[in-house]
Amino acid sequence: MTNNMAIIIAFIVYLGLMMLIGIYYYRRTRSMADYILGNRKLGAWVTSLSAEASDMSGWMLMGLPGFAYIAGLNAGWIALGLALGTYANWKFVAARLRKYTELANNSLTLPDFLQNRYEDKSNLLRIIPAVFILLFFIIYTSSGFVAGGKLFETIFALPYTQALFLGAFVVVFYTLAGGFLAVCWTDFIQGVMMFFAILLVPAAASYLLGGPSVTLAAIYTMEPSFFNPFQKPDGSTLGFIEFISLMGWGLGYFGQPHILVRFMAIRSSAELGRAMHIAMTWVAISLAAAVLVGMVGRAYLTEPLFGTATETVFLVMTDSIFNPFIAGLILSAVLAAIMSTASAQLLVAASAFAQDFYRSLLHKNASQGELVWVSRLSVLAIAALSLTLAMNPESLILDMVAYAWAGFGAAFGPALLASLFWRRATRNGILAGIITGGVTVLVWKQFALFGLYEIIPGFIFSLCAIYIVSRLDKEPAKSITDTFDAVGKSEI
């Protein structure tokens, strides 16, 4: 791709708008409730699209199409697992979490909620979850920076390091300035852009190839195995362990802090039903289109892509199909996808440090203004660590996302489900589950045992730890469990 002025103008317009939103909300951020949760004032549309935009990130426009480019419909199992996980999260978790976090002393973060839910005086239910949040978000955010670096490198022929720092600067700027409301409103805009971009590219490529039937025939001629979802790229048949590993992505949803925080911030749990319908429509169509991008790209592109370059299939197709200004707008959607997730992750990680480390251990009487500034400084520190990890241009976006996704899903998913649905769960049981799930992912990833995606053993072992330790522990005090049970039965 060339350094085309029309593409540059489109990018400048988009980036300028995002930064203006950050400046606007900077003037409206006065407390931690504003900075972390937007004072719980989000509507259904902003909640749903910001949740999904922060969820899908650059991997939906780069990582998943790249996998589909080499695997065809075999990549669809990840999409199906994610769609089912999204539905279960909205259907069963969203309303309870919204009500319970407000009931639990208006909790602002996930560790905050767990501590208040189990009346933990030791601060361990704040500190240990915050450690895992910081660890896995550094990995997760670095995947977004890698995607941004590849985007600017591909479009503007910049050296990877310069491209990496350019993309990171914009994300850090509006997260630093505007906090949660800036992140959510930019995510809303970015979610709309991602939706239309992921539909437009495969549709336009198919039209240029001669229509859907001609496109399907061309794909089949080149790669007949693409239409067999049970056949892997190397020609072997998908095994049981590989199947559950792909579907296991859906388990991760119950433990993703940057998604769960959207449920906590909606104006009223009564709006969650409408938000769920909006979110599920967006997810189902977008994931299907992402798989199509990779498959259609295999037939459309005359020069094949190899290695990490497969994850640029969306970028290369866009550049070859559209005029420079339109291409710039569509490619801005890729940047939108990257920025939406990276900004949400930076904000949650910074909130965990300020609320769950700084306030709990270092300065219990810190003012709201001080905590906001500690959060902003934390954004800079976490971004710097993430940039360090992102310096390798050979990093695969999907691999980095998979690691962090598994870490959050196993560490927090079982703990959150137990805290919302099992009255017998205890503080020690939840703590054991978080540690077991997080450590299992860290260890399993290093050895890649049985070829099984680490979220599966992590999730199972975490559930077992919660159950066993809670059963060995004394029952929690009735006062708080009865209060939560009453809300669960009467209002949800």
Side-chain angles (χ1 to χ4, degrees):
M1 294 188 184
T2 58
N3 194 345
N4 191 288
M5 185 56 65
I7 295 180
I8 294 174
I9 292 171
F11 266 62
I12 290 174
V13 170
Y14 166 73
L15 294 175
L17 175 62
M18 297 302 101
M19 294 172 78
L20 283 173
I21 291 174
I23 293 170
Y24 173 76
Y25 281 108
Y26 174 83
R27 301 170 63 87
R28 300 182 61 179
T29 301
R30 297 179 179 85
S31 68
M32 282 298 283
D34 289 334
Y35 194 76
I36 296 175
L37 285 185
N39 214 14
R40 299 186 192 263
K41 292 180 179 178
L42 295 189
W45 276 93
V46 176
T47 298
S48 57
L49 290 189
S50 69
E52 300 317 319
S54 65
D55 165 15
M56 294 305 171
S57 76
W59 77 266
M60 189 187 81
L61 297 179
M62 295 178 72
L64 185 56
F67 184 31
Y69 180 84
I70 61 172
L73 285 181
N74 184 247
W77 294 116
I78 292 180
L80 179 59
L82 289 170
L84 293 174
T86 300
Y87 174 78
N89 213 22
W90 280 97
K91 181 69 175 178
F92 302 111
V93 172
R96 279 182 180 253
L97 185 63
R98 171 62 178 84
K99 288 183 176 293
Y100 281 20
T101 51
E102 190 169 21
L103 183 65
N105 199 28
N106 194 31
S107 302
L108 299 181
T109 66
L110 188 57
D112 203 12
F113 166 65
L114 292 173
Q115 184 187 44
N116 293 332
R117 169 72 172 90
Y118 292 99
E119 300 179 323
D120 176 37
K121 306 300 182 185
S122 69
N123 276 332
L124 286 177
L125 271 180
R126 273 187 185 274
I127 297 168
I128 290 177
V131 169
F132 283 114
I133 285 175
L134 290 170
L135 172 64
F136 288 119
F137 266 146
I138 287 170
I139 298 171
Y140 211 150
T141 305
S142 67
S143 73
F145 289 162
V146 169
K150 289 183 178 181
L151 172 65
F152 285 114
E153 181 186 36
T154 303
I155 295 171
F156 301 130
L158 288 173
Y160 176 76
T161 302
Q162 293 180 23
L164 184 69
F165 278 88
L166 177 60
F169 169 76
V170 179
V171 176
V172 171
F173 179 88
Y174 74 77
T175 306
L176 197 68
F180 186 78
L181 285 173
V183 167
C184 285
W185 274 101
T186 52
D187 283 357
F188 171 76
I189 295 169
Q190 290 159 349
V192 173
M193 292 175 65
M194 289 163 63
F195 181 79
F196 286 107
I198 200 68
L199 287 177
L200 185 59
V201 170
S206 176
Y207 172 78
L208 292 174
L209 285 170
S213 59
V214 175
T215 302
L216 291 174
I219 297 170
Y220 186 81
T221 300
M222 294 184 67
E223 296 289 346
S225 63
F226 265 30
F227 294 93
N228 182 356
F230 295 99
Q231 185 167 326
K232 297 191 299 181
D234 62 5
S236 60
T237 301
L238 185 69
F240 176 73
I241 287 180
E242 293 153 330
F243 173 74
I244 63 173
S245 292
L246 292 173
M247 291 295 289
W249 279 73
L251 289 175
Y253 275 101
F254 303 120
Q256 306 298 319
H258 58 298
I259 300 173
L260 297 171
V261 74
R262 266 56 179 191
F263 302 155
M264 296 162 61
I266 197 167
R267 191 162 41 227
S268 166
S269 58
E271 296 192 51
L272 283 167
R274 186 158 65 103
M276 181 183 76
H277 293 140
I278 297 168
M280 286 309 304
T281 301
W282 191 98
V283 165
I285 295 173
S286 298
L287 287 176
V291 174
L292 275 177
V293 168
M295 295 178 66
V296 174
R298 193 60 174 264
Y300 181 81
L301 296 179
T302 54
E303 294 186 15
L305 304 172
F306 300 99
T308 57
T310 59
E311 293 191 324
T312 65
V313 58
F314 180 89
L315 310 182
V316 176
M317 288 175 68
T318 298
D319 184 61
S320 65
I321 293 172
F322 301 99
N323 70 59
F325 186 74
I326 299 299
L329 293 177
I330 294 173
L331 293 171
S332 293
V334 181
L335 184 59
I338 296 163
M339 291 167 63
S340 61
T341 299
S343 61
Q345 292 160 350
L346 280 172
L347 185 64
V348 173
S351 302
F353 180 84
Q355 191 80 352
D356 304 314
F357 274 119
Y358 184 81
R359 189 177 189 181
S360 298
L361 299 179
L362 301 177
H363 196 178
K364 294 183 179 179
N365 297 319
S367 67
Q368 292 295 302
E370 181 180 348
L371 289 173
V372 170
W373 276 106
V374 169
S375 294
R376 286 176 170 144
L377 292 174
S378 301
V379 166
L380 290 176
I382 294 162
L385 291 171
S386 298
L387 275 170
T388 302
L389 283 182
M391 293 299 289
N392 179 12
E394 296 304 310
S395 299
L396 272 172
I397 300 163
L398 195 61
D399 286 350
M400 299 178 78
V401 170
Y403 192 9
W405 187 265
F408 283 124
F412 297 123
L416 183 69
L417 292 174
S419 69
L420 295 178
F421 293 98
W422 189 36
R423 75 185 312 275
R424 183 63 180 81
T426 66
R427 171 259 193 194
N428 291 332
I430 296 297
L431 199 56
I434 292 171
I435 295 171
T436 301
V439 171
T440 299
V441 167
L442 292 172
V443 173
W444 200 280
K445 175 69 174 178
Q446 306 312 312
F447 297 99
L449 299 174
F450 314 115
L452 182 64
Y453 182 25
E454 53 270 18
I455 196 172
I456 307 294
F459 200 93
I460 293 172
F461 292 166
S462 179
L463 279 175
C464 291
I466 292 171
Y467 180 80
I468 293 169
V469 174
S470 294
R471 282 296 182 187
L472 293 174
D473 213 355
K474 64 179 182 180
E475 282 203 49
K478 286 189 176 181
S479 59
I480 191 162
T481 54
D482 287 349
T483 301
F484 277 87
D485 281 349
V487 172
K489 291 174 183 176
S490 65
E491 297 185 31
I492 297 174

